[in-house]
Amino acid sequence: MLTVVTFAMLALSVDTVNMSKPAASARAGYHHGNLREALVDAALALARTGGPDAVVLRAVSREAGVSHNAAYRHFADHQDLLGLVSERCMDELAALMNRHIARVRTRNPVERAWARLSATGRAYIDFARSEPGWFRTAFSAAHPSPTEEAEPVEGPYGILAARLDELVEVGALPASRRPNAEYAAWSMVHGLSSLLVEGPLGAIPEPEVARAVDTVLAVVRRGL
Amino acid sequence: MLTVVTFAMLALSVDTVNMSKPAASARAGYHHGNLREALVDAALALARTGGPDAVVLRAVSREAGVSHNAAYRHFADHQDLLGLVSERCMDELAALMNRHIARVRTRNPVERAWARLSATGRAYIDFARSEPGWFRTAFSAAHPSPTEEAEPVEGPYGILAARLDELVEVGALPASRRPNAEYAAWSMVHGLSSLLVEGPLGAIPEPEVARAVDTVLAVVRRGL
DNA sequence: TGTACATCAGTGAACGCGCGTTCACTGATGTAC
DNA sequence: TGTACATCAGTGAACGCGCGTTCACTGATGTAC
């Protein structure tokens, strides 16, 4: 607690001395410069450690080095901030999925399409396990329903749908199997993630986790 | 609030007037008779409506018509009560699974085994959807890990494992596919349940839900 | 270029709330003789 | 059977906490002339 305060004050004086105009995200005096982003960043840091329940208005302001009601200049209320943070966590998940997908090197089109689907699933589970706080935060608030979102291709749901379309295009999946396939793939990886991260499978040893992931992905592939 | 108090007092006077000895779960005077069970019941009622967060010591005592610290005569602390309530919710889930399974009438052994597995999955999803508060409560506290539980056959995990063993016994599932099969089946139904109950699939219309459930169960069957 | 003034983005104090937990207590119960 | 007394299962008051939100405020910024 004290350490945090000291750090914030140090940063403040450095800014004031060394820079003539305020940096995008640093404090430069009475006015912050970019408090909105700073608050979101602080909230993300808290969510990362403690999940959605850690995104507490007063704690966020504290972390940003600002009085506990300053946030009301930038967000309507607590919900408003939490919703935004939750969306950011979703974006983070989508980004990791894309990174995993881009890393697939398989050449054979059919195998490639399957590998890209698996990469998507692995990314999902990886995200949940390496960033449990963000994972829980991503799913803590109600976003616009994925099926009727404005830009569905951006989010995790859109990425998954694109992988399934891809499978049909290369002939790896009969078109008759395409409808509702999202539900199966998504449920599978989401279920395993939840059971591992916040459920009764949280305590199983690492090799067992690896087996579970492999089995789950294999069953999805075979089942589709 | 006032209504509740009035009710409690009415109940109290009725008891005092009409009965000579305390009933199992009714208040009979200064001493409650069976406060422990009454508190668990009240906690279950609150969890049913509001999930684990609604299991608040003061609210539970209020609901049971008792001062807010009386619970400490029966539970070590808040955690202790919540853990017990969570276990009760798990029991409820297991009971529903067993009921669904017992209702399967198929005669052909292979088809019967598959039908019993499907019934298990449907029961799981049904429970989540019809009792979302209990579902969330069941998975809110850390129970002893299902793989190393004392009586694993009792719980949902044990019931699922028994269904999979059954499949192998009747020859519906090759023994080589048996290991880790729990992970796939469990993840699938748990994932769909979570997405529907507390996730981004909460708003999809009923017929769509039915399709999702069918697809998910079909993929598990084919995938195993 | 300098100045008056409106607007913006922070602050500090306070409100009201509900929580888990502890304390000293007291009424009810059951047991020993 | 009656009585003294230990034990049990409740009560009421209080502590300390952290929360979201509102209020009147003030320092900083930018704009019109």
Side-chain angles (χ1 to χ4, degrees), chain A:
Chain A
M1 205 7 222
L2 262 179
T3 326
V4 170
V5 172
T6 312
F7 258 91
M9 292 171 76
L10 267 174
L12 173 58
S13 42
V14 167
D15 282 345
T16 319
V17 171
N18 288 348
M19 307 169 68
S20 49
K21 61 178 185 181
S25 60
R27 191 80 182 274
Y30 190 94
H31 279 190
H32 185 284
N34 199 359
L35 185 52
R36 188 182 163 89
E37 269 314 301
L39 287 169
V40 173
D41 287 349
L44 278 168
L46 289 167
R48 189 173 206 169
T49 312
D53 292 347
V55 181
V56 156
L57 225 33
R58 296 176 95 111
V60 170
S61 310
R62 220 177 291 138
E63 207 73 5
V66 126
S67 76
H68 64 265
N69 49 356
Y72 287 95
R73 298 287 163 202
H74 302 277
F75 303 98
D77 54 16
H78 175 238
Q79 274 271 16
D80 189 22
L81 170 61
L82 184 57
L84 213 138
V85 169
S86 173
E87 269 178 40
R88 291 287 181 94
C89 291
M90 272 292 181
D91 294 347
E92 210 67 38
L93 167 57
L96 187 71
M97 287 166 75
N98 281 328
R99 256 176 279 146
H100 268 60
I101 292 166
R103 220 177 285 142
V104 170
R105 289 274 163 269
T106 321
R107 304 300 275 272
N108 174 314
V110 169
E111 274 315 309
R112 177 180 172 79
W114 281 119
R116 281 161 64 88
L117 178 66
S118 284
T120 310
R122 272 185 206 280
Y124 198 100
I125 299 165
D126 274 14
F127 182 77
R129 298 195 67 218
S130 60
E131 298 292 355
W134 282 351
F135 178 73
R136 292 195 293 125
T137 305
F139 291 95
S140 68
H143 308 149
S145 174
T147 35
E148 48 192 47
E149 205 171 346
E151 356 74 56
V153 188
E154 305 281 327
Y157 178 81
I159 297 174
L160 169 61
R163 296 291 73 71
L164 294 169
D165 288 342
E166 215 168 69
L167 282 168
V168 175
E169 281 165 29
V170 301
L173 187 71
S176 64
R177 283 280 166 76
R178 177 64 185 81
N180 304 313
E182 291 90 334
Y183 293 126
W186 194 5
S187 293
M188 191 64 112
V189 294
H190 187 79
L192 183 58
S193 298
S194 294
L195 291 172
L196 289 171
V197 164
E198 47 185 350
L201 255 37
I204 67 175
E206 189 55 43
E208 190 71 12
V209 173
R211 276 191 289 273
V213 173
D214 290 343
T215 305
V216 151
L217 293 177
V219 168
V220 167
R221 173 168 178 174
R222 244 182 275 125
L224 290 179

Side-chain angles (χ1 to χ4, degrees), chain B residues 30-32 35 67 69 73-74:
Chain B
Y30 191 94
H31 280 191
H32 185 283
L35 185 51
S67 75
N69 51 355
R73 297 289 162 202
H74 301 277

Side-chain angles (χ1 to χ4, degrees), chain B residues 1-13:
Chain B
M1 197 22 211
L2 262 177
T3 325
V4 170
V5 171
T6 312
F7 259 92
M9 292 170 77
L10 267 174
L12 174 57
S13 44

